[in-house]
Amino acid sequence: MQATPEKTLVSKSSETTKTARPWLARWPLLRAFLRNRKAMLGVSILFFFIMVALLAPWIAPGNPKKMESRAHLAPAWIADTPAPGGKTFLLGTTGQGQDVFRQLVWGARLSLSVGLSVGIASTIVGTIIGLTAGYLGGWVDDILSLLTNVMLIIPGMPLLVILAAFLKPGPVTVVMVLTLTGWAWPARVMRSQVLSLRAKDFIAASVVSGERTPRILFSEVLPNMSSVFVGSMVGSTVYAIGADVGLAFLGLTNVGTTSWGTMLYWAQNNAGILTGAWWTFVPTGICIALCAFALTMLNYALDEITNPRLRAEKETTHGKRNRGNVLVTPVIRK
């Protein structure tokens, strides 16, 4: 019997996927990031708050410290009586008659800028110390590891309170204090990663070829730890936002500025809880929780994408779940 060529039916959806976004095939990590639900959820929430902070003069124009009306006016959508002068306040007023919504929008600027600044600064300092200690080894590693262990042993919040109490209050002081107390953990993580990469063949090849130590560290070692770097920065940002709010709530920063922490401070001082003025602190707490949630989801997503073990477990689970929906290419024989 004469053999005839086989005709294969190719799924249109697979062809569309290959031709619609060919640039994604060149960036597998970006493709995995865009397909991760946790990553998209975290990025969406974080992007929303960043845009609110950048567009604060247009979203809530005016001075957030200005006294607009009576103290502790309820939000317009639950108020029984209209506010004096016919003004409406979406989230009510504070104990000093300031617009809560305006303060919430403008406070996002300072809180997010402090959090992101501390996250970037502490991660850079920790990365430099971790790279140096892990790669050079010897007495350099001993001294830097001792310094890192000392910073990890010292309780963070008491040290923050002491430093903030004796230094001049302000956003720059907060960034310096939080960076000083937050670099140790990224340094420990980076050092452990460098110790595992130092014995690789490509590092030995760079040493034999005569490359200098700074070039090996920043051109060969650091690019292989980009996921750890980003994860450390995200974790440090979450820590910084929470610590900044805590210091402001205790009155150890400049309470004359407008931030989410100072809003909680004045809500407590003006007896917002005792008077039942929940709108002076609940919206602020929700914004802080949402930012921490978004950064945590982003950190989990990066870990799932870059960790081979977690990625393999996810692919195995996804395969078992969709085993009944496996697409089979039919073959037509004549």
Side-chain angles (χ1 to χ4, degrees):
M1 180 180 294
Q2 184 179 2
T4 57
E6 300 177 352
K7 297 181 180 180
T8 305
L9 299 180
V10 182
S11 175
K12 293 183 179 180
S13 59
S14 61
E15 291 182 352
T16 306
T17 304
K18 293 180 180 179
T19 57
R21 292 178 293 182
W23 57 275
L24 283 179
R26 307 173 188 174
W27 305 91
L29 290 180
L30 179 60
R31 183 173 68 250
F33 184 84
L34 294 176
R35 291 178 178 178
N36 192 289
R37 296 181 180 179
K38 294 178 183 178
M40 289 296 96
L41 178 60
V43 168
S44 300
I45 297 175
L46 192 60
F47 179 77
F48 169 77
F49 280 105
I50 291 176
M51 293 306 298
V52 167
L54 293 176
L55 301 177
W58 293 273
I59 297 176
N63 186 3
K65 303 177 184 178
K66 183 180 178 181
M67 298 182 183
E68 299 286 350
S69 186
R70 293 202 317 262
H72 288 162
L73 280 177
W77 44 279
I78 62 170
D80 297 331
T81 57
K87 294 183 178 181
T88 58
F89 301 97
L90 181 62
L91 295 177
T93 60
T94 65
Q96 298 176 345
Q98 299 159 339
D99 190 355
V100 173
F101 176 74
R102 186 182 298 166
Q103 285 203 334
L104 193 67
V105 172
W106 282 87
R109 280 191 156 191
L110 185 58
S111 295
L112 291 180
S113 61
V114 168
L116 293 175
S117 300
V118 173
I120 295 173
S122 61
T123 304
I124 291 176
V125 173
T127 299
I128 294 174
I129 294 176
L131 286 175
T132 306
Y135 183 77
L136 296 181
W139 62 271
V140 177
D141 186 19
D142 294 337
I143 295 176
L144 294 179
S145 297
L146 177 62
L147 180 61
T148 303
N149 293 333
V150 170
M151 296 301 298
L152 289 174
I153 292 173
I154 297 176
M157 186 54 70
L159 181 60
L160 286 174
V161 171
I162 293 173
L163 292 176
F166 285 96
L167 296 176
K168 182 180 179 180
V172 178
T173 302
V174 174
V175 172
M176 292 174 57
V177 170
L178 294 180
T179 302
L180 179 63
T181 59
W183 63 266
W185 183 251
R188 170 61 64 85
V189 175
M190 291 295 176
R191 176 184 175 273
S192 63
Q193 292 294 320
V194 174
L195 289 176
S196 64
L197 290 174
R198 190 174 60 178
K200 300 294 184 181
D201 294 337
F202 68 92
I203 299 296
S206 300
V207 175
V208 171
S209 63
E211 293 188 4
R212 296 182 178 181
T213 300
R215 178 176 175 80
I216 295 175
L217 289 177
F218 294 101
S219 299
E220 302 292 341
V221 179
L222 188 58
N224 288 279
M225 300 192 306
S226 57
S227 60
V228 180
F229 180 86
V230 176
S232 298
M233 186 174 64
V234 171
S236 299
T237 304
V238 176
Y239 153 78
I241 292 176
D244 175 52
V245 170
L247 291 175
F249 180 74
L250 296 175
L252 297 175
T253 61
N254 185 5
V255 296
T257 59
T258 302
S259 68
W260 291 343
T262 56
M263 289 181 66
L264 295 179
Y265 170 81
W266 288 114
Q268 177 197 21
N269 274 16
N270 296 324
I273 298 177
L274 297 177
T275 57
W278 56 265
W279 53 87
T280 59
F281 55 89
V282 169
T284 308
I286 292 175
C287 289
I288 297 171
L290 284 176
C291 283
F293 172 76
L295 291 169
T296 304
M297 287 293 102
L298 189 58
N299 203 359
Y300 286 161
L302 290 173
D303 197 17
E304 289 181 356
I305 294 170
T306 58
N307 192 324
R309 182 177 59 85
L310 294 178
R311 188 168 63 247
E313 291 179 356
K314 185 176 180 181
E315 291 175 356
T316 303
T317 305
H318 182 73
K320 291 180 179 179
R321 188 181 304 168
N322 296 332
R323 184 170 294 176
N325 299 326
V326 176
L327 296 178
V328 179
T329 303
V331 177
I332 300 178
R333 293 179 181 274
K334 290 186 178 180

